[in-house]
Amino acid sequence: MKILRIITSMNPEGGGPCQGIRNSIPALQKLGVTNEVVSFDDPGADFLKHDSFKIHAIGQPKGPWLHQPELIPWLLENLPHYDAAIIHGLWLYHGYAVNKAMKALSGKNIRLPKVYVMPHGMLDPYFQKAPGRKLKALRNVLYWKFIESKVINNADGVLFTCQEELLLARQTFSPYRPKKELNVGYGIQAPPAYTTAMDDAFKAACPQLSGSYILFLSRIHDKKGVDILINAYIALNKDNKLPTLVIAGPGLDTPYGKEMAELAQGNTIIFAGMLTGNAKWGAFYGSEAFILPSHQENFGIAVVEAMACAKAVIISNQVNIWREIKEGNGGIVEDDTQQGANKMLKQWLNMSNEQKIEMGLNAQKIYETKFSSEKAAVQLLNRIK
């Protein structure tokens, strides 16, 4: 079987979807499935040089819609070479282009791939209700009416990373009539085994750190609940006896990021910037626990990466895999509010070392049984065959 992934960019700074593709493809290759990617990237981009699978980088797009005029001609020529095509993400030109190309090809006597859409949480009602998104929400309603509803409803199926995402997607837009709703799961590759080089790399990236720490690793963005995390930490750390809070990820140079840096001043809070490679794994392995009080998280790759490293996860119930984590006692789950963040941190701090270690081992078991890339690959293949 040969699958084409269509995504706007494979730049790892873009977050989840491109990392999900990179996690999925090696496991599918072991099952005899070939994957290729078409993206709106500069063919000479450094981040494209390390992937083992074929990426057709057709050049950077223009404008907020990410319009790339080369995509439709490329699709018209190449779509018949694949058994399935998966559109990753919504609201941009690539979904429209695939729908238009499939319509143009459907009248010809040629074999065409099945087309699936993977929203990656972009049908979550949060984005229509969140404060500060009123204009974007109105734009989405109009875009849904004229373009995106056709992309979704004309596809052979919509792929979801977990059951929570599937159920939430039904609440947001109308008409919503997908031919199939398929919970294909999601997974990550097993983390590399711990080495001292990882520890060294993390210490080099975070030289001011000493002692134990709790790790936040994600974009510094208001959606991630960084403000309520910092406020909860400050409220509980009046005597400066808590583990250091390490906040790692891009976004410190944004207005929100600068506001968070100012809020954290005078406290044992370190902003480590974006961590990759050994530095990232060193941060996971060396942490007491991972924390993410997000207001919306479709899956949370970093959450599962922490679990795979046998770390308990402290998360809000807006991270869509919270049910699996709570049922397996692999972490602490509360509301995505200031009170919820306070309760999560307080509960963790009141646990014994033995309880913390046990919760981390539980988290690792949940990863192995539910969120490994091998299990997700089998599930995806069974759903789209």
Side-chain angles (χ1 to χ4, degrees):
M1 188 174 191
K2 191 174 182 181
I3 301 174
L4 175 67
R5 313 294 191 107
I6 304 105
I7 189 169
T8 54
S9 178
M10 289 295 288
N11 188 338
E13 291 189 6
C18 68
Q19 186 57 48
I21 290 173
R22 288 187 168 100
N23 287 333
S24 170
I25 287 178
L28 285 165
Q29 286 174 333
K30 293 176 183 176
L31 299 173
V33 179
T34 299
N35 284 257
E36 295 182 359
V37 175
V38 59
S39 69
F40 300 164
D41 291 307
D42 182 335
D46 287 340
F47 56 79
L48 298 178
K49 296 176 181 177
H50 310 291
D51 294 299
S52 60
F53 49 90
K54 178 69 176 176
I55 299 177
H56 303 275
I58 61 173
Q60 294 180 329
K62 296 178 181 179
W65 195 31
L66 301 190
H67 177 249
Q68 170 44 277
E70 299 298 322
L71 181 58
I72 288 180
W74 191 94
L75 292 169
L76 291 172
E77 182 177 348
N78 290 282
L79 275 174
H81 303 155
Y82 299 91
D83 301 297
I86 302 175
I87 303 165
H88 289 268
L90 301 178
W91 310 119
L92 296 169
Y93 176 74
H94 65 314
Y96 165 82
V98 174
N99 190 51
K100 187 170 182 179
M102 285 294 292
K103 278 187 175 181
L105 291 169
S106 62
K108 301 180 180 180
N109 189 24
I110 53 176
R111 187 181 69 92
L112 291 176
K114 290 184 177 180
V115 173
Y116 299 92
V117 181
M118 198 163 195
H120 293 280
M122 295 179 191
L123 288 177
D124 194 305
Y126 164 84
F127 296 107
Q128 294 302 101
K129 298 176 181 177
R133 287 187 55 90
K134 288 183 179 179
L135 286 177
K136 289 182 179 179
L138 177 59
R139 175 205 63 187
N140 286 353
V141 169
L142 295 172
Y143 192 86
W144 178 266
K145 180 178 180 180
F146 294 106
I147 296 177
E148 205 69 86
S149 62
K150 298 177 180 64
V151 175
I152 291 288
N153 296 333
N154 289 344
D156 292 284
V158 182
L159 310 180
F160 297 100
T161 60
C162 59
Q163 188 67 13
E164 188 81 1
E165 183 196 2
L166 185 154
L167 295 174
L168 287 170
R170 296 174 178 173
Q171 303 175 19
T172 314
F173 296 103
S174 181
Y176 175 72
R177 295 189 293 268
K179 294 174 184 174
K180 289 182 181 178
E181 295 172 301
L182 303 169
N183 176 10
V184 297
Y186 216 43
I188 68 160
Q189 298 176 59
Y194 170 78
T195 66
T196 55
M198 295 173 181
D199 192 41
D200 293 341
F202 175 55
K203 286 178 179 176
C206 207
Q208 65 272 55
L209 176 66
S210 62
S212 61
Y213 62 94
I214 296 171
L215 177 67
F216 170 100
L217 193 150
S218 189
R219 283 184 301 133
I220 300 172
H221 189 278
D222 59 356
K223 190 189 84 162
K224 305 292 184 175
V226 185
D227 51 336
I228 62 174
L229 170 59
I230 292 174
N231 282 323
Y233 182 85
I234 291 172
L236 291 171
N237 196 32
K238 292 178 181 177
D239 56 3
N240 289 321
K241 291 183 179 179
L242 298 186
T244 300
L245 174 61
V246 173
I247 298 178
L252 193 59
D253 57 344
T254 65
Y256 179 79
K258 291 173 183 176
E259 183 184 340
M260 293 304 98
E262 186 175 343
L263 178 63
Q265 278 186 356
N267 293 276
T268 51
I269 299 173
I270 296 173
F271 291 88
M274 185 171 177
L275 301 177
T276 59
N278 275 346
K280 182 185 82 169
W281 293 115
F284 279 127
Y285 277 118
S287 66
E288 264 197 22
F290 177 87
I291 189 162
L292 183 65
S294 186
H295 299 303
Q296 191 279 331
E297 204 70 37
N298 180 51
F299 179 78
I301 287 177
V303 177
V304 180
E305 287 177 332
M307 294 165 66
C309 295
K311 300 299 173 180
V313 293
I314 304 168
I315 61 168
S316 75
N317 56 13
Q318 300 305 305
V319 178
N320 280 350
I321 57 172
W322 70 270
R323 295 179 193 276
E324 291 89 339
I325 291 166
K326 191 169 185 178
E327 287 169 4
N329 193 30
I332 298 169
V333 181
E334 289 289 348
D335 292 339
D336 63 323
T337 61
Q338 190 63 64
Q339 183 181 12
N342 291 358
K343 286 172 68 176
M344 289 193 293
L345 268 179
K346 197 167 187 178
Q347 183 178 337
W348 176 257
L349 297 169
N350 288 333
M351 289 169 60
S352 68
N353 286 336
E354 291 77 14
Q355 289 173 321
K356 291 176 179 178
I357 291 169
E358 182 182 1
M359 186 173 278
L361 292 174
N362 290 341
Q364 191 174 47
K365 288 177 186 174
I366 297 166
Y367 156 70
E368 291 169 349
T369 57
K370 295 183 181 294
F371 301 130
S372 72
S373 57
E374 289 77 13
K375 286 189 175 294
V378 170
Q379 203 161 318
L380 173 65
L381 192 57
N382 288 339
R383 296 289 192 276
I384 69 173
K385 268 186 174 178

